[in-house]
Amino acid sequence: MAERPLEHVVELAGGVGGARLAHGIQAHLGAGLTVVVNTGDDLERHGLLVCPDHDTVLYTLAGLDNRALGWGLEGETFANAAMLAGYGEETWFRLGDRDLATHIVRTRRVREGQRLTDVARHLGASLGVAARILPMTENAVRTKIRTDDGWLDFQTYFVRLHQAPEVRELRYDGLAEATATPEVEAALAAAEAIVVAPSNPFLSLAPILGVAGIRAGIDAARARGVPVAAISGIIGGRAVKGPADRILVSLGHEASALGVARIHAPWIDLFVIDTVDAALAPAIRELGLDVLVADTLMDTDEARARVAGTVLEAVTALRR
Ligand code: GDP
């Protein structure tokens, strides 16, 4: 059993669940953390390229996340939205005044030919973020959701309709052509452990895993003894935030930590479930997984660091 401290950890992340865990891991590892972030939620708004999951992780790692709103930047105002509404623009997807700066800078740099990966590095460095945040791919991937009223853009479902419609089917436009960046491939090749955030299995993790080279990089890491741990985003049968529990059911899965474990079982080694779900541990072990039972709610800085510390300790012990 290796007892060397971990230096290079890769996290796969969506927005809120991904950001909370990343914040906790960054408290332990600083620049040793690389976050590979979902870009399937990205969109164009008012001519600007908006990357919601990336920006949630960015602001959280910079300590600038708005905890009262649960998204966006602290101290945010929305004066621009009122002005845009006055011009007859749609404002159901509001961009904050401070947040707008991020999208302006990103859009200008991308239009000038810079890669999203390089723009992300600039944004992170400018905000003093220690960890590295890598978009999962440079290719445009756009998640679409089929409801009883037909196919919807991701943000129409998520923000405009408040995730109310039942999700019948998902598709990820552009994913079949998407390839991992050299940075993502190198991070997976250097990883000493891979940690999967409690992010939505369908909306956040499936697109990341579908990028050519990422699943292969994870499998190659496991083959050289690198442990892969995932944390359940379902606690006591419910999502901490968002529609994951309902989507699990509507797509034919069980809304429980066991249901999530069944989805991830083929490609992970350790599944972390909340203390309230301890009774599910034997059934998850039967899937061939190691199970760690811990408090997994990351609602404070202390809780984020504690959960991350517990997971890092567990994967350190699993290294071969
Ligand atoms: P989104 O893109 O903003 O929806 O964020 P993610 O996909 O990264 O995260 C959403 C998932 O994270 C939901 O299923 C939540 O239940 C889960 N989640 C959020 N916060 C926590 C937490 O503190 N602990 C755990 N265990 N799960 C969480």
Side-chain angles (χ1 to χ4, degrees), residues 42-93:
D42 292 4
L43 70 159
E44 285 247 334
R45 209 72 199 147
H46 311 298
L48 299 174
L49 176 58
V50 182
C51 304
D53 283 356
H54 170 276
D55 294 348
T56 299
V57 173
L58 173 72
Y59 298 154
T60 303
L61 291 184
L64 295 174
D65 51 316
N66 188 320
R67 302 222 176 164
L69 269 181
W71 56 276
L73 279 161
E74 66 176 14
E76 192 57 283
T77 54
F78 294 90
N80 82 83
M83 198 71 187
L84 285 166
Y87 286 126
E89 296 286 313
E90 277 189 338
T91 53
W92 54 264
F93 192 90

Side-chain angles (χ1 to χ4, degrees), residues 10-63:
V10 170
E11 178 190 324
L12 309 185
V16 173
R20 287 177 161 192
L21 181 68
H23 190 245
I25 299 178
Q26 183 181 249
H28 292 274
L29 297 183
L33 170 65
T34 299
V35 186
V36 176
V37 76
N38 172 43
T39 59
D41 303 359
D42 292 4
L43 70 159
E44 285 247 334
R45 209 72 199 147
H46 311 298
L48 299 174
L49 176 58
V50 182
C51 304
D53 283 356
H54 170 276
D55 294 348
T56 299
V57 173
L58 173 72
Y59 298 154
T60 303
L61 291 184

Side-chain angles (χ1 to χ4, degrees), residues 43 45 47-60 62 64 72-74 76 80 95-110 116 119-124 126-127 133:
L43 70 159
R45 209 72 199 147
L48 299 174
L49 176 58
V50 182
C51 304
D53 283 356
H54 170 276
D55 294 348
T56 299
V57 173
L58 173 72
Y59 298 154
T60 303
L64 295 174
L73 279 161
E74 66 176 14
E76 192 57 283
N80 82 83
L95 300 175
D97 300 328
R98 303 184 72 204
D99 186 34
L100 211 44
T102 305
H103 314 308
I104 290 169
V105 170
R106 169 186 295 121
T107 305
R108 182 194 48 88
R109 287 177 176 256
V110 167
L116 206 53
V119 178
R121 183 189 301 134
H122 170 72
L123 296 172
S126 301
L127 296 186
I133 310 171

Side-chain angles (χ1 to χ4, degrees), residues 107-146:
T107 305
R108 182 194 48 88
R109 287 177 176 256
V110 167
R111 289 210 180 123
E112 285 173 6
Q114 289 189 30
R115 298 183 325 143
L116 206 53
T117 302
D118 296 322
V119 178
R121 183 189 301 134
H122 170 72
L123 296 172
S126 301
L127 296 186
V129 172
R132 194 162 53 134
I133 310 171
L134 296 177
M136 64 185 193
T137 180
E138 290 293 322
N139 304 89
V141 176
R142 296 293 178 266
T143 300
K144 306 280 164 142
I145 290 159
R146 188 168 66 78

Side-chain angles (χ1 to χ4, degrees), residues 94 98 204 211 220 224 232 266 293 309:
R94 294 190 305 163
R98 303 184 72 204
S204 298
V211 172
R224 48 167 213 277
S232 178
V293 181

